[in-house]
């Protein structure tokens, strides 16, 4: 069996920066408690590492006090939560991905009503919703577009890791319904590169394994992209998820990983594949 790795996979710059900031905060002396507000990245292994540094993960902005340090997750937070931290005098270290900050800026400054394409309940989507100054419409699938006023022009904002196939279906439906928009942004380049790599990998292998957490939208999007191109694909979180039976009958296996997957986990999965 031959294992072929995707050209682009694993940590994106936003996640690497967030982890670097967490490690920097943990290495410094603080009189208060160190917190991460929300999951720094959608990966349990990453979160276990952060907590091993002595940083506590919280989801309630009421918890920190003035002496405490709060690291903002890569997915960002609402203006209301940020204002609460500032009111208390909490020391904020902002690890929000620059592309999420751009989405928030576009949402906050839009002079038009907004169509926000994103996964309902996803932390990035919640953070972008949480800065809105004008009415917005959250769209997760084409059916969510029904009833929108097509006499208006909207600002369009897309969650940075939204699946390509789902986005294309929504944009096609918008065109069908005559819904006009100004593009506020596009899916992040790191996500596009990883999906481009999956498409290329699909032409070379019989079966694709994506390494990532089940919570990770971009990891699941890579699996969906591989299946879209007719390949069997599965998501694994660590080497123990692999066994010989799932590899039987395949001569070439592709290996990719989501943008919140640590390098060492990818290497461990690759070693396990070669052992099997």
């Amino acid at each position: 069996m031959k294992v072929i790795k995707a050209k682009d996979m694993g940590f994106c710059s936003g996640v690497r920066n967030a982890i670097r900031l967490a490690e920097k905060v943990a290495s410094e002396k603080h009189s208060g408690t160190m917190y991460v507000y929300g999951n720094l990245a959608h990966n349990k292994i990453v979160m276990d590492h952060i907590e091993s540094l002595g940083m506590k993960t919280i989801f309630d902005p009421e918890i920190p006090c003035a002496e405490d340090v709060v690291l903002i997750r890569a997915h960002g937070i609402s203006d209301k939560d940020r204002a609460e931290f500032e009111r208390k005098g909490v020391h904020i270290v902002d690890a929000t991905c620059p592309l999420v900050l751009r989405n928030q800026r576009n949402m906050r400054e839009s002079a038009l009503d907004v169509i926000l394409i994103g996964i309902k309940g996803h932390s990035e989507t919640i953070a972008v919703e949480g800065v809105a100054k004008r009415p917005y419409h959250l769209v997760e699938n084409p059916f969510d577009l029904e009833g929108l006023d097509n006499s208006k022009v909207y600002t369009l904002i897309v969650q940075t890791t939204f699946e390509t196939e789902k986005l294309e279906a929504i944009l096609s439906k918008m065109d069908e319904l005559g819904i006009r928009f100004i593009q506020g942004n596009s899916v992040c380049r790191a996500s596009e590169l990883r999906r481009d790599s999956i498409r290329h990998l699909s032409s070379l292998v019989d079966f694709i394994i994506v390494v990532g957490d089940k919570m990770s939208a971009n990891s699941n999007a890579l699996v969906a992209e591989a299946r879209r191109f007719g390949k069997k694909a599965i998501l694994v979180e660590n080497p123990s998820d692999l066994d010989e039976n799932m590899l039987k009958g395949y001569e070439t296996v592709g290996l990719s990983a989501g943008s919140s997957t640590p390098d060492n986990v990818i290497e461990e999965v690759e070693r396990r594949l070669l052992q099997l």
Side-chain angles (χ1 to χ4, degrees):
M1 188 187 72
K2 184 178 182 182
V3 177
I4 301 175
K5 295 193 291 185
K7 179 182 176 183
D8 294 288
M9 62 175 172
F11 277 163
C12 65
S13 59
V15 173
R16 284 194 191 279
N17 179 62
I19 293 172
R20 181 187 62 79
L21 283 174
E23 291 171 341
K24 181 176 183 295
V25 168
S27 70
E28 298 169 343
K29 289 184 178 180
H30 301 284
S31 56
T33 306
M34 298 179 296
Y35 295 107
V36 177
Y37 188 59
N39 292 318
L40 189 68
H42 281 155
N43 188 284
K44 186 178 184 302
I45 295 169
V46 170
M47 293 310 302
D48 286 346
H49 170 60
I50 297 305
E51 292 184 4
S52 75
L53 300 174
M55 304 188 74
K56 299 180 180 179
T57 301
I58 57 168
F59 297 90
D60 184 353
E62 297 293 329
I63 292 175
C65 302
E67 296 295 319
D68 298 334
V69 178
V70 174
L71 180 71
I72 304 303
R73 62 190 172 192
H75 297 100
I77 60 169
S78 68
D79 281 347
K80 179 182 177 182
D81 288 349
R82 188 183 294 273
E84 176 64 16
F85 291 142
E86 291 173 349
R87 183 188 68 79
K88 288 183 171 184
V90 171
H91 178 56
I92 297 173
V93 179
D94 198 345
T96 307
C97 169
L99 298 178
V100 176
L101 287 174
R102 183 184 66 181
N103 272 356
Q104 288 186 308
R105 184 173 63 252
N106 288 336
M107 174 67 99
R108 194 182 289 113
E109 297 176 357
S110 178
L112 306 169
D113 288 3
V114 174
I115 293 175
L116 172 60
I117 298 177
I119 300 170
K120 295 174 183 176
H122 189 281
S123 51
E124 179 189 331
T125 304
I126 292 170
V128 176
E129 289 179 283
V131 304
K133 303 297 183 186
R134 293 185 57 86
Y136 68 90
H137 309 272
L138 179 58
V139 174
E140 188 171 4
N141 59 65
F143 303 107
D144 294 330
L145 295 166
E146 299 292 345
L148 280 182
D149 185 354
N150 65 2
S151 68
K152 292 182 176 181
V153 178
Y154 297 89
T155 296
L156 181 70
I157 297 173
V158 184
Q159 179 186 325
T160 60
T161 56
F162 201 74
E163 287 184 29
T164 304
E165 186 176 15
K166 289 183 178 179
L167 178 58
E168 289 174 353
I170 292 170
L171 294 176
S172 177
K173 186 65 174 181
M174 290 175 70
D175 185 56
E176 179 186 320
L177 295 173
I179 298 173
R180 296 168 295 155
F181 61 87
I182 296 170
Q183 185 80 29
N185 74 306
S186 60
V187 173
C188 81
R189 183 60 180 153
S191 293
E192 289 179 340
L193 287 172
R194 281 151 184 74
R195 292 174 199 177
D196 287 345
S197 292
I198 277 283
R199 288 191 282 271
H200 178 65
L201 198 60
S202 297
S203 68
L204 303 175
V205 301
D206 306 312
F207 177 41
I208 292 179
I209 293 171
V210 176
V211 189
D213 196 288
K214 290 181 176 66
M215 293 191 302
S216 168
N218 68 82
S219 297
N220 284 292
L222 291 177
V223 173
E225 195 73 6
R227 291 173 179 169
R228 182 185 177 199
F229 280 78
K231 296 297 174 180
K232 181 177 178 181
I234 62 169
L235 181 68
V236 303
E237 294 188 334
N238 55 62
S240 64
D241 290 338
L242 295 170
D243 63 58
E244 291 181 10
N245 291 330
M246 66 176 57
L247 301 173
K248 283 181 179 177
Y250 298 108
E251 294 184 2
T252 54
V253 174
L255 181 64
S256 183
S259 59
S260 55
T261 306
D263 298 339
N264 66 303
V265 179
I266 300 171
E267 291 165 3
E268 289 167 7
V269 170
E270 182 182 10
R271 282 196 297 271
R272 176 66 175 154
L273 278 172
L274 295 173
Q275 287 171 357
L276 291 173

